[in-house]
Each structure stands twice: as C-alpha cells, then as structure tokens.
C-alpha cells in the first residue's frame, strides 16, 4: 500500500512517484465559474493525468435542489463514485485545472461522506503541466468498486444551522468571496441574488490563499491570513462563499494548519442571497 503523507496536500513529485500504485486513484475535479468560459469535461478529454477519472461536480450533486451543486445523498454519491472505480481502501488524489480551485470541493465531499483517505494535488494540473509531466487523452478504464458513504454531519451546515448561529455566535463564519461582493459593491454573478453578507461573518477571499503557480501558500502565510481576517483558530469555524466551492479552499487551508474540522455552509450565498427575509449586512 502506498503511504499518503499526513497532510491534506501532496506534491506533484509525490504523485509522479506513486502514480502506478494499485491503491492510488487520481480524480480530475475541475470546475470553473461560467465567466471563465472553460469546459472542464472537454479539457479532461483532451488531456489528463494518466489514470485519472473525471468527477463532475454538477452531476454528483442534489439535482433536485434549486441551488447549484448541493451535496447529494450518500446513496447517490456512493453510486456515482463506484461507477468511477473508486472504492474503500483506496488513496484518492484530487486535482483541478486551475491549480487549487475546485479540487478542495471534491476533497471536502469525500470527507463529509466519511472517506478521509483523500488529498489535494498542490498546484494541480497547472503545476503538473508546467513541469512537463505526463498527460494523456487515453480513456481511463475502470471497473465498479464497493464504496461505503457515511455522512459526517460535523463538516456540514445548512441554512437553519447558520440562522441559529446568529443568536448563539457559537461558530465563526468566514466568507471566501471577493471583498467587493462581500460588501455589496459588486453584483453577484448569479442573477436574482441580494448583495452583502451573512451578519457577523468575516471576509477572506479564497484567491489570497493561492500562489501564482497554483499552489497553496505556506503554513505561516495561511496562519497570518486567517489571523488578519479576525478568526480565532481555537474556536469553531464555518466557511461560506458563492455556491460552496471556494469555501472549501478555506477549509483546506485551515486543515493544512491543523484545523481540519471546519464546516461548510453548503447553500452559501446562492441560497442565503436568494431566500427572502434572511438578515443581510453590507
């Protein structure tokens, strides 16, 4: 069995050395905002890390929800990942084409489904390609595997829990959207959403956690960023964003510095900004 480092991140060097290990499964978890005008599935088909399978965030979700890519039921999640050839006992490495953007969402999804042997490729496909490492357009052949999903509710918050927390203030809320969106100085990319943020939340744009080469910033830099945002790292933390993707970058950064129990408000602003009557600050 290959040994995954005791960290939520692995380097391109580590993956290259373990790419052929029978228990390692690589996942392309690429997803982009519509404004990026990038097709993640098409990019995967044209070139992916050898052996990688494509994880479609907009399919492996609760498609009955009015909100984008909400967490699916454990049953649906299990069914989809089994079909990808992912099963119990594997070591999962997730990457995305931007470096670190949507891969943390897939990392969080596996963890909230009770699967902890999952890591993110630091720098993703961006760094992998920059280093001239192997890329293929060959179809990855898989066979169904048994996957057991047990939802870990500690890593997930819903609207009711966040609303209740406004009274108790038991958990700190941190918003990964840009400052202008957080302050309602810039329109939301999704139509029909109010501007502003959940009362009492702090702001740390997720882009600040990522270096130009797509890698996550250092341990000390992450601690400083969370400290500057006003977080008490000894207290419980819930991350939110526009639709539950970039919040997971904050959760990944927190895990790197030893705070691996940060929860995600899955509906995020796509829900909070759409539901009439909820309190909003600007």
């Amino acid at each position: 069995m290959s040994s995954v480092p005791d960290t939520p991140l692995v380097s391109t060097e580590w993956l290259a050395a373990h790419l052929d290990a029978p228990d390692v499964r690589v996942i392309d978890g690429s997803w982009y905002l519509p404004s990026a005008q990038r097709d993640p599935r098409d990019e995967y088909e044209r070139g992916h890390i050898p052996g990688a399978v494509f994880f479609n965030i907009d399919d492996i979700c609760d498609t009955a929800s009015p909100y984008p890519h909400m967490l699916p039921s454990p049953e649906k999640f299990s069914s989809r990942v089994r079909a990808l050839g992912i099963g119990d006992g594997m070591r999962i490495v997730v990457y995305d084409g931007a470096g670190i953007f949507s891969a943390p969402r897939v990392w969080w999804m596996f963890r909230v489904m009770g699967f902890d042997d999952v890591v993110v490729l630091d720098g993703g496909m961006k760094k992998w390609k920059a280093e001239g490492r192997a890329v293929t357009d060959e179809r990855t052949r898989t066979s169904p595997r048994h996957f057991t999903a047990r939802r870990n509710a500690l890593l997930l918050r819903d609207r009711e829990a966040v609303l209740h927390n406004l009274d108790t203030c038991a958990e700190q809320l941190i918003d990964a959207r840009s400052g202008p969106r957080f302050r309602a100085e810039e329109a939301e990319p999704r139509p029909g959403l109010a501007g502003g943020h959940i009362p009492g939340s702090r702001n740390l744009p997720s882009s600040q956690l990522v270096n130009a080469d797509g890698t996550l910033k250092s341990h000390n830099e992450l601690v400083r960023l969370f400290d500057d945002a006003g977080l008490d790292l000894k207290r419980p933390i819930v991350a939110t964003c526009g639709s539950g993707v970039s919040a997971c970058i904050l959760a990944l950064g927190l895990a790197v510095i030893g705070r691996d129990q940060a929860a995600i408000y899955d509906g995020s602003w796509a829900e909070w900004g759409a539901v009439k009557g909820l309190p909003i600050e600007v």
Side-chain angles (χ1 to χ4, degrees), residues 159-257:
R159 184 179 73 216
E160 289 71 25
V162 174
L163 191 59
H164 178 68
N165 189 66
L166 296 183
D167 294 325
T168 66
C169 298
E171 298 178 321
Q172 304 166 96
L173 199 67
I174 186 158
D175 192 320
R177 291 177 299 154
S178 69
R181 287 174 64 190
F182 181 80
R183 296 186 296 269
E185 297 167 355
E186 182 180 289
E188 288 294 310
R190 292 178 177 83
L193 297 184
H197 56 268
I198 300 169
S201 56
R202 296 161 177 83
N203 183 217
L204 176 54
S206 59
S207 59
Q208 293 187 18
L209 275 66
V210 183
N211 295 310
D213 66 352
T215 59
L216 203 68
K217 292 193 172 176
S218 70
H219 182 285
N220 289 344
E221 288 175 307
L222 292 170
V223 171
R224 178 186 59 79
L225 285 167
F226 287 118
D227 184 61
D228 289 351
L231 280 188
D232 179 350
L233 294 173
K234 297 182 176 65
R235 294 183 55 224
I237 298 167
V238 178
T240 182
C241 60
S243 64
V245 174
S246 60
C248 297
I249 302 174
L250 300 188
L252 178 68
L254 287 163
V256 166
I257 63 173

Side-chain angles (χ1 to χ4, degrees), residues 8 13 19 78 95 98 102 120 123 144 154 176 187 189 222 225 232 236 245 253 273 275:
E13 291 81 7
L19 199 54
S78 293
Y95 74 86
S102 57
V120 171
L154 296 176
L222 292 170
L225 285 167
D232 179 350
V245 174
V275 176

